Amino acid sequence: MKKSIFIFIIAIVCAFTSYAQNQDKVHQTLPVEEQSTNRTTNKMIYFVPQYLFIDGTRMEFEYRKNVSNAFLFSGTFYTGTLNNNSLLGESDDTWSGANIEILHKVYLADVLPKLNKSSDQIYLAHGPYYQHANIKYQGNSWVPSTVNNLDVLEYKYGEQTMTINKIGYSAILGVQIVTESRLVVDIYTGLGFRHAYVKKTSDENDQKTYNDNWLTPAYSGNILLLGFKLGVVL
């Protein structure tokens, strides 16, 4: 399953790149006046509200290079409490972190003219992902200590840290609606994969993992991307 999704994403990336390059060449051959007409909304800023449910605040900035190509720069900041392998309930465990994502967007107005209006635009997007996070929790670990002038390790209960570095890649299909008042609604879905590198200060028998599902910080595997965002044309 993982291999098939990975191959699917790679195929989409290759198709995106080929299409974008061809459209870039077509756009550059147009008269300057026509290029200017097509470049209608070249800068936007977005807020993604659903990230508030997982202690996150996500903002995005889009720069549209021409009628077919754009780059989306995203950043998410996390802080809050969580339960091991759960999004519900009370916990003394705290976490904080941030991620960045850079997507290449290809608008499909030239390919799907019947489905695209002047204000509704379908797009495909793909790009890399990186996240860094720290989780603070209580657990057991071996702690350096001195007993009778000898350096020893003592097994103690106390605050522990889980450090997570996660990489990934995303492929997205979405539709963007721009209103006359320059407000933007963007609805999207897609697939991605994530791989987390985890380091803990607690001992190897510790049961804290935070990797049970794709919404937990240390998850590795395939993910479903689904949501909406609100924005404004700058």
Side-chain angles (χ1 to χ4, degrees), residues 21-129:
Q21 289 175 346
N22 290 335
Q23 291 305 311
D24 232 354
K25 292 177 181 178
V26 171
H27 181 76
Q28 290 170 4
T29 61
L30 296 174
V32 175
E33 294 81 3
E34 192 172 344
Q35 291 186 31
S36 177
T37 301
N38 287 333
R39 195 189 297 263
T40 54
T41 54
N42 64 342
K43 291 181 182 179
M44 303 180 191
I45 188 169
Y46 302 95
F47 172 67
V48 190
Q50 63 266 24
Y51 278 80
L52 295 173
F53 293 100
I54 53 174
D55 300 323
T57 302
R58 183 179 179 94
M59 300 295 297
E60 302 182 348
F61 173 76
E62 178 177 337
Y63 171 71
R64 191 162 183 177
K65 184 180 178 182
N66 54 44
V67 67
S68 300
N69 293 274
F71 292 94
L72 186 68
F73 304 90
S74 305
T76 310
F77 299 92
Y78 300 94
T79 182
T81 61
L82 40 75
N83 271 357
N84 187 44
N85 298 336
S86 174
L87 295 177
L88 303 174
E90 297 295 328
S91 173
D92 293 328
D93 298 352
T94 63
W95 80 301
S96 61
N99 69 45
I100 57 173
E101 190 170 29
I102 302 175
L103 299 179
H104 174 210
K105 297 179 70 173
V106 179
Y107 288 90
L108 303 180
D110 297 333
V111 176
L112 305 170
K114 293 183 179 181
L115 297 180
N116 279 262
K117 302 177 182 179
S118 59
S119 59
D120 300 358
Q121 295 189 330
I122 297 174
Y123 66 85
L124 295 169
H126 68 98
Y129 170 98

